[in-house]
């Protein structure tokens, strides 16, 4: 299975511009499964509730989910990416997952980072698992990484590949993801953004360094801290099914 990610620097509040950039970055894509960053269509550094509400969309049905479905059909790929979701009066920091046959499902970020708590509700969908081409996948969003239970929940439910959309501001996950992969024996696709965002008194600097880690904790491919990148690697998802450390120890049964 060819899995990959897009790394780029979304332009704050410029949805159409960001969709065009993703469309252009993926114009020659040859892959089965692609992950985009957290909030890839809107950027991250919001300064007011109104600002976030104005760029939030329904999942499914909204502009960006429809755009992703178009990309999935055109290139015959599965793709996930971060969207600010509106559901009634509530906003969620979500990821939509779609494929060549349309909408598949969504995940709502459980562990909100810093001032995200001013705008978004905590995710209330748990950690859903989806099956594509006989392979089980699950989504996480950025700061979820620091709570090991999040990825563990996905792994205990059979996830072989973790689709991890990020806007990382701390420098740790490029290292810590190797442990998460190893302790759960899963593949992790980290699609991170790069660049700086300034919005009034709010500012953030994102760490790039997107990467794919295998179930042995080995970084298979990675990107620099800055720069647009689309990277794909061919993996065998079955390698995530063997949870034996040796003939006496099993990562899922010994707990
Ligand atoms: C983060 O969760 N976007 C830092």
């Amino acid at each position: 299975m060819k899995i990959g990610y897009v790394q780029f620097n979304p332009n704050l509040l410029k949805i159409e511009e960001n969709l065009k950039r993703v469309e252009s970055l993926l114009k020659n894509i040859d892959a089965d499964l692609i992950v985009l960053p957290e909030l890839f269509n809107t950027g991250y550094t919001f300064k007011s509730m109104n600002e976030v509400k104005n760029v939030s969309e329904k999942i499914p049905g909204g502009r960006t989910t429809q755009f992703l479905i178009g990309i999935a059909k055109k290139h015959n790929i599965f793709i996930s990416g971060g969207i600010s979701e509106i559901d009634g009066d509530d906003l969620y920091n979500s990821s939509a997952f779609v494929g060549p046959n349309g909408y598949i499902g969504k995940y709502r970020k459980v562990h909100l980072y810093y001032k995200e708590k001013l705008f978004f509700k905590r995710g209330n969908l748990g950690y859903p698992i989806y099956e594509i081409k006989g392979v089980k996948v699950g989504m996480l969003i950025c700061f979820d990484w620091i709570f090991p239970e999040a990825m563990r929940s996905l792994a205990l439910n059979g996830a072989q590949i973790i689709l991890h959309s990020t806007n990382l501001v701390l420098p740790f996950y490029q290292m810590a993801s190797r442990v998460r992969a190893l302790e759960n024996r899963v593949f992790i696709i980290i699609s991170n953004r790069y660049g700086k965002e300034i919005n009034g008194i709010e500012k953030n600097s994102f760490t790039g360094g997107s990467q794919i880690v295998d179930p042995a904790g080995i970084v298979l491919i990675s990107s620099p801290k800055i720069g647009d990148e689309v990277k794909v690697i061919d993996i065998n998802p079955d390698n995530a099914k063997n949870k034996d450390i040796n003939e006496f120890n099993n990562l899922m049964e010994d707990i």
Side-chain angles (χ1 to χ4, degrees):
M1 182 179 246
K2 290 185 196 156
I3 65 173
Y5 59 75
V6 173
Q7 170 171 303
F8 78 118
N9 61 338
N11 207 338
L12 187 64
L13 308 176
K14 299 278 196 296
I15 294 180
E16 289 307 317
E17 194 178 301
N18 293 326
L19 300 190
K20 278 208 177 74
R21 283 184 63 199
V22 167
E23 188 173 26
S24 149
L25 284 163
L26 289 177
K27 68 177 183 296
N28 297 319
I29 192 70
D30 173 17
D32 299 298
L33 173 62
I34 289 289
V35 181
L36 303 173
E38 176 183 12
L39 295 171
F40 82 92
N41 62 336
T42 60
Y44 181 82
T45 311
F46 302 117
K47 63 174 192 270
S48 72
M49 192 63 161
N50 264 349
E51 202 175 64
V52 193
K53 263 204 170 133
N54 284 337
V55 293
S56 295
E57 302 178 4
K58 292 207 162 116
I59 306 176
R63 165 78 179 113
T64 302
T65 311
Q66 288 308 116
F67 163 83
L68 290 175
I69 291 170
I71 294 275
K73 284 184 195 294
K74 183 170 175 197
H75 298 288
N76 195 28
I77 58 175
F78 292 87
I79 185 164
S80 70
I83 296 171
S84 176
E85 181 192 1
I86 187 155
D87 182 5
D89 284 336
D90 296 332
L91 303 182
Y92 297 92
N93 182 340
S94 298
S95 272
F97 187 39
V98 308
N101 292 326
Y103 177 72
I104 297 172
K106 65 185 165 190
Y107 166 68
R108 290 173 169 165
K109 184 176 187 177
V110 172
H111 304 97
L112 299 170
Y113 182 71
Y114 194 54
K115 291 189 181 175
E116 286 174 40
K117 290 197 175 187
L118 300 179
F119 308 127
F120 298 113
K121 286 255 179 328
R122 182 181 168 92
N124 55 2
L125 300 177
Y127 300 101
I129 301 280
Y130 301 100
E131 192 164 324
I132 53 162
K133 299 186 169 199
V135 176
K136 291 192 171 135
V137 305
M139 290 173 272
L140 292 178
I141 301 178
C142 208
F143 195 53
D144 283 327
W145 76 264
I146 210 165
F147 301 89
E149 301 83 359
M151 199 174 298
R152 190 69 172 172
S153 301
L154 287 172
L156 283 168
N157 286 323
Q160 294 159 264
I161 306 175
I162 311 299
L163 320 182
H164 204 154
S165 295
T166 64
N167 277 188
L168 293 162
V169 293
L170 302 174
F172 309 119
Y173 190 47
Q174 285 83 356
M175 166 196 62
S177 56
R178 300 184 60 185
V179 179
R180 289 285 167 279
L182 183 63
E183 69 199 3
N184 291 298
R185 286 279 176 93
V186 291
F187 290 91
I188 308 175
I189 308 172
I190 302 171
S191 166
N192 195 21
R193 65 160 294 172
Y194 70 93
K196 289 189 192 344
E197 256 179 2
I198 299 172
N199 189 3
I201 58 163
E202 304 299 333
K203 47 172 157 310
N204 281 298
S205 190
F206 304 96
T207 61
S210 300
Q211 64 188 27
I212 294 181
V213 190
D214 81 357
I218 292 167
V219 177
L220 299 177
I221 47 174
S222 61
S223 291
K225 290 184 175 167
I226 290 176
D228 289 359
E229 295 248 4
V230 181
K231 286 209 160 177
V232 175
I233 189 162
D234 204 353
I235 58 132
N236 180 357
D238 284 350
N239 292 346
K241 283 187 174 163
N242 180 4
K243 309 293 185 185
D244 288 336
I245 297 288
N246 55 47
E247 57 191 301
F248 292 94
N249 296 114
N250 181 283
L251 280 170
M252 300 296 154
E253 290 164 10
D254 280 9
I255 50 179

